Every structure is written in structure tokens, then in C-alpha cells.
């Protein structure tokens, strides 16, 4: 936030909006849509779509000239985060051998939480 704040001359409200834009509208909507998207595109296809959202969002945030553009790209990143958070455990559970399934999903979630 230090470099973004300096580069974009953000006030406290803008700074809070940039930080929260990834979570509330982005990740929340991504989590709601992620399951249905995984059913339509498949787990792998949805994860590839999430990777595309991560790429577009990261490049957009890196090149954002204004705060509003930064917020828009943070929402795009949030969509990818939310959809991936729903789809990744499903993909792991379906791909893992039966005797390792619970352990793989648990370790994945543990690494996310402690990460």
C-alpha cells in the first residue's frame, strides 16, 4: 500500500476501498458464481478461467493510472480469488485417490490459511 498510496495519491477512503474491493464485491461474487461455472466449464476449465482473471487483474493493477481503474482491476482479481477458492478443493477432491482425498483437501486449506 505504501507504493500505491504514493503513486496514486490516495486518501484514507480510497485506500480502504482499494483494499476491500478484492474481498467484498470481487471474491464474494466469484465464490457465488464459481460453483455454477465449475459445473458448466468443468473444474479444470474454471481454474484456467481463474488464471486468466488473475493475469488480467494483476496486469491491470500494475498499470493502473488512477484509483478507479485500480479498484476495477482489484474486483477482477477478487472474482478469480473467489471462484478459485470454491473450485480448487473440488478439483483436488475429484483428482486425488480415495485414500488421500481428505488429506489433500485439508492440507490445501491449511496452507491457504497459514500462507
Amino acid at each position: 500500500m505504501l507504493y500505491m498510496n504514493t503513486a496514486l495519491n490516495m486518501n484514507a477512503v480510497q485506500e480502504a476501498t482499494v483494499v476491500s474491493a478484492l474481498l467484498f464485491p470481487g471474491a464474494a461474487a466469484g465464490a457465488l458464481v464459481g460453483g455454477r461455472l465449475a459445473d458448466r466449464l468443468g473444474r479444470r476449465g474454471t481454474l484456467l478461467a481463474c488464471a486468466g482473471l488473475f493475469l488480467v487483474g494483476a496486469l491491470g493493477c500494475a498499470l493502473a493510472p488512477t484509483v478507479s481503474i485500480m479498484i476495477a482491476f482489484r474486483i477482477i482479481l477478487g472474482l478469480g480469488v473467489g471462484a478459485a477458492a470454491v473450485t480448487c478443493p473440488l478439483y483436488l477432491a475429484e483428482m486425488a485417490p480415495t485414500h488421500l482425498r481428505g488429506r489433500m483437501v485439508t492440507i490445501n486449506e491449511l496452507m491457504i490459511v497459514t500462507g
Side-chain angles (χ1 to χ4, degrees):
M1 285 309 300
L2 295 174
Y3 298 116
M4 276 197 293
N5 198 358
T6 304
L8 298 175
N9 294 325
M10 293 188 288
N11 60 31
V13 172
Q14 290 171 325
E15 190 175 327
T17 305
V18 166
V19 170
S20 65
L22 187 135
L23 296 174
F24 177 61
L32 289 172
V33 174
R36 291 184 189 258
L37 197 60
D39 286 340
R40 288 191 184 171
L41 298 178
R43 311 308 186 233
R44 185 173 181 266
T46 302
L47 289 174
L48 288 172
C50 291
L53 288 172
F54 290 143
L55 178 67
V56 169
L59 289 175
C61 285
L63 302 172
T66 65
V67 175
S68 2
I69 293 173
M70 173 68 77
I71 291 169
F73 281 106
R74 293 277 294 181
I75 292 172
I76 290 171
L77 276 173
L79 290 170
V81 168
V86 170
T87 308
C88 190
L90 292 173
Y91 183 75
L92 285 174
E94 289 175 354
M95 293 285 117
T98 308
H99 68 283
L100 295 175
R101 188 169 295 154
R103 185 178 305 158
M104 284 187 73
V105 174
T106 302
I107 289 173
N108 175 58
E109 294 300 321
L110 181 65
M111 293 300 120
I112 290 171
V113 170
T114 59

